[in-house]
Amino acid sequence: MKQKDRFKNFDDEVRELVLSFENTILKGKSQFFDVDEMEIIIDYYFEVNDKVPLERAVEYAEELYPNSTTIRLRRAHLLMSHEQYPQALEVLNKMRQAEPDNTDVAYSLGVANGAVGDSQKAIAYFKEAATDGWMLGRVYSNMAEEYYKLKDYDAAINCYRKAMESDSCDDITIYNYYDVCYSAGRIEQAADYLSGYVKKNPYNKEAWYCLGCAYRDLTLYEKAVDAFEYAIAIDKSYVDAYVALSQTQDLMGNTAEAVTTMLRVLDYCDDRAKIYRTIGSLYAREANYDTAMAYFKKAVDDNPADAESYAAMALCYLELGDTSTAVSKVNRALMLDEDSPVDPNDGRDPHDAPGSPDVLCAAAMVYDAIGEFYKASEYFEQMIATGIFAEHQCQLYTQFLFNHQVYDILIQFAEESLEVYPHSSFYCTYLAAAYFYTNRYNKARKMLPDVSPALLSELCPELIMHPLLGPLVPADPYNNK
């Protein structure tokens, strides 16, 4: 049964070749495989990420076919899979000298150069690889990523569109296209393009999902709901679409509908604890802590190692004024979080620190509430180091720094946050106040066009009343009604 599962997504030829390889070569016996067969065997191990037999398969293929370009190329791919990019580049550059017109080599050189940070060289190689018209979805998607690293958003968007319009477009390309548009502030442009794209590709669930995200981010909630429902109609097990639909309904103030949507996904989701936790969080935001706790308890009943649910419980207890139980729950969350394996699919950079930002943020808030500033500060710093924290967690850290008058760190963090969220009234307001309190009046003045007057009057009334700076603060429309 185990062997059958291994080959679920592969045809009989692959199965027979791999089993033959494992029954002979891996046991120290000899058997002849032609070069095409060795390529199939190696590619299987790449696909299933089985590194030990992969290494042996590449070695054996090199013994049989030392001058084969395709086998040498797979050696380079193996080196790259181990993040040994300089060694991979050495192999590829030698191949390049021997076969300067080989577009497969050009593509691999693009990947390797992109990995070592040379985006310009990577783009040049990808352009060359695109000339043969093969796997353009993958080539243009990689090219787009390099343009994105260079912050050339127009070129990145254009390349992602070329990838999407090719016959070899994959799911990730569509998601990445919208992410780039979002980062570049081109959400309306993305919505226009995706609305045309789904007309041509009406059964592409990823495109409907991203169109829903665009409408949601443009606050066109009714259209977003329709788009997410289309995605679900195409694939009833599309968990991300259910979650996004629920978030949109929550933004519309329809908590009951948001909960119902999350309950719909339970039959399709492997991580039921996450669904229960999400429902609990919906009720917690409504200050319905009893119902929220009931769902958090369902989550830990389903998965006793669910650190995030214990952290969410801790915040509920904190809101209810039970700080001792809040500390107990958050410590339990921290212990479970420390013992949990790293999720390779959470999107973080390999160099980021481990840990769940939800757990670390909750710990910071709980320890701040009981007056342990240094512990709270440490947990916030660990949260930032994960590299996968959410914007509301950034804002909580900013508020924490301001409340404790740690202005220099706040200024550095808020300036960095403004690079991600340009013209954010939240960060501009906190920066204006922090600049004012550290006597940097010219910098405070520059923030004023983008501040929230109501928030600024709360954080720094002295600035509002300042004879030189105060008149520059934009009027609060709510106070002029």
Side-chain angles (χ1 to χ4, degrees):
M1 187 66 179
K2 186 176 180 181
Q3 285 189 345
K4 184 179 179 181
D5 289 341
R6 285 174 60 198
F7 300 101
K8 181 180 178 181
N9 298 318
F10 300 89
D11 60 31
D12 291 340
E13 181 187 12
V14 174
R15 182 180 186 279
E16 290 173 9
L17 282 171
V18 171
L19 289 177
S20 180
F21 179 79
E22 293 176 352
N23 289 330
T24 54
I25 308 307
L26 295 184
K27 293 182 179 179
K29 301 176 184 178
S30 61
Q31 180 175 334
F32 178 78
F33 295 93
D34 66 32
V35 67
D36 291 335
E37 290 172 336
M38 286 307 309
E39 289 173 25
I40 292 171
I41 293 166
I42 292 169
D43 290 345
Y44 165 80
Y45 289 124
F46 266 121
E47 186 75 19
V48 299
N49 195 29
D50 198 344
K51 294 181 180 179
V52 174
L54 170 60
E55 183 76 48
R56 182 66 188 101
V58 173
E59 289 175 355
Y60 189 70
E62 288 172 328
E63 292 170 12
L64 291 176
Y65 308 103
N67 298 317
S68 167
T69 298
T70 56
I71 298 303
R72 292 167 67 197
L73 196 56
R74 280 158 178 77
R75 166 57 70 184
H77 294 168
L78 179 59
L79 290 167
M80 286 192 282
S81 73
H82 292 304
E83 298 187 6
Q84 296 175 321
Y85 297 109
Q87 296 91 324
L89 281 168
E90 184 178 349
V91 172
L92 291 166
N93 284 326
K94 287 180 181 177
M95 295 176 68
R96 174 77 169 178
Q97 291 174 4
E99 299 185 49
D101 297 326
N102 189 316
T103 52
D104 289 338
V105 174
Y107 173 79
S108 297
L109 278 165
V111 174
N113 277 285
V116 298
D118 195 339
S119 293
Q120 295 286 10
K121 192 175 285 188
I123 289 167
Y125 282 123
F126 288 135
K127 285 181 177 178
E128 184 179 330
T131 58
D132 70 359
W134 182 75
M135 294 297 290
L136 289 178
R138 185 171 63 180
V139 175
Y140 280 118
S141 183
N142 277 276
M143 199 187 306
E145 185 177 344
E146 298 306 322
Y147 277 121
Y148 178 71
K149 291 177 185 176
L150 296 172
K151 296 188 177 181
D152 188 343
Y153 297 124
D154 287 336
I157 289 169
N158 184 51
C159 283
Y160 274 128
R161 287 185 178 183
K162 287 182 178 180
M164 290 169 65
E165 288 159 9
S166 74
D167 293 333
S168 56
C169 174
D170 58 20
D171 304 346
I172 299 300
T173 294
I174 300 174
Y175 295 129
N176 287 345
Y177 165 72
Y178 183 67
D179 286 344
V180 170
C181 289
Y182 182 87
S183 298
R186 314 280 175 81
I187 301 173
E188 189 169 352
Q189 180 186 109
D192 289 342
Y193 177 76
L194 288 166
S195 63
Y197 188 85
V198 296
K199 289 178 183 177
K200 298 176 184 176
N201 304 274
Y203 299 107
N204 189 308
K205 64 179 182 180
E206 291 82 13
W208 280 110
Y209 170 83
C210 289
L211 178 60
C213 291
Y215 285 142
R216 178 198 62 201
D217 295 334
L218 290 168
T219 68
L220 300 173
Y221 297 133
E222 295 291 348
K223 286 188 173 184
V225 167
D226 289 342
F228 292 133
E229 289 286 16
Y230 271 116
I232 292 168
I234 295 167
D235 180 0
K236 291 188 181 298
S237 64
Y238 193 1
V239 173
D240 287 347
Y242 285 102
V243 173
L245 174 59
S246 177
Q247 290 170 342
T248 304
Q249 290 165 332
D250 183 39
L251 289 169
M252 297 170 74
N254 299 330
T255 303
E257 290 183 17
V259 169
T260 299
T261 297
M262 293 308 296
L263 291 171
R264 286 167 63 191
V265 82
L266 280 171
D267 291 336
Y268 309 110
C269 183
D270 294 332
D271 190 355
R272 293 170 65 89
K274 182 177 181 180
I275 302 302
Y276 288 132
R277 184 171 70 250
T278 302
I279 295 172
S281 297
L282 289 168
Y283 284 115
R285 283 202 296 276
E286 296 274 305
N288 186 346
Y289 299 117
D290 290 337
T291 306
M293 288 283 229
Y295 277 100
F296 294 142
K297 287 174 181 174
K298 276 179 176 284
V300 297
D301 286 343
D302 193 79
N303 177 13
D306 184 22
E308 285 86 353
S309 289
Y310 280 105
M313 282 186 200
L315 294 178
C316 282
Y317 281 115
L318 191 63
E319 291 290 342
L320 294 168
D322 188 348
T323 53
S324 61
T325 305
V327 171
S328 172
K329 295 296 182 185
V330 87
N331 284 339
R332 174 71 171 160
L334 288 165
M335 183 187 72
L336 291 169
D337 191 43
E338 186 177 341
D339 293 338
S340 64
V342 175
D343 182 357
N345 300 314
D346 66 7
R348 76 177 63 194
D349 187 288
H351 302 294
D352 292 334
S356 162
D358 292 340
V359 171
L360 295 167
C361 185
M365 294 172 68
V366 169
Y367 277 100
D368 183 37
I370 63 174
E372 295 200 28
F373 167 78
Y374 292 107
K375 255 191 171 181
S377 181
E378 180 182 342
Y379 286 126
F380 269 128
E381 289 169 7
Q382 289 179 34
M383 178 194 80
I384 298 301
T386 66
I388 55 171
F389 48 87
E391 184 182 4
H392 77 275
Q393 292 166 336
C394 293
Q395 294 186 358
L396 288 169
Y397 182 44
T398 303
Q399 292 167 339
F400 167 80
L401 293 170
F402 187 85
N403 292 339
H404 291 282
Q405 300 180 10
V406 189
Y407 296 129
D408 287 339
I409 296 177
L410 184 156
I411 287 170
Q412 180 182 351
F413 181 72
E415 286 176 343
E416 292 172 355
S417 298
L418 270 181
E419 294 179 8
V420 182
Y421 308 105
H423 304 292
S424 163
S425 63
F426 178 89
Y427 295 112
C428 287
T429 305
Y430 272 89
L431 274 172
Y435 285 143
F436 182 84
Y437 286 132
T438 54
N439 303 317
R440 301 176 218 189
Y441 300 126
N442 286 335
K443 287 195 170 185
R445 181 192 298 268
K446 290 178 182 178
M447 292 293 108
L448 295 180
D450 293 316
V451 302
S452 162
L455 180 58
L456 186 60
S457 64
E458 176 186 333
L459 298 178
C460 188
E462 301 95 325
L463 195 158
I464 295 287
M465 301 175 64
H466 194 280
L468 295 179
L469 297 178
L472 298 176
V473 178
D476 186 343
Y478 296 102
N479 290 335
N480 291 332
K481 289 184 178 180

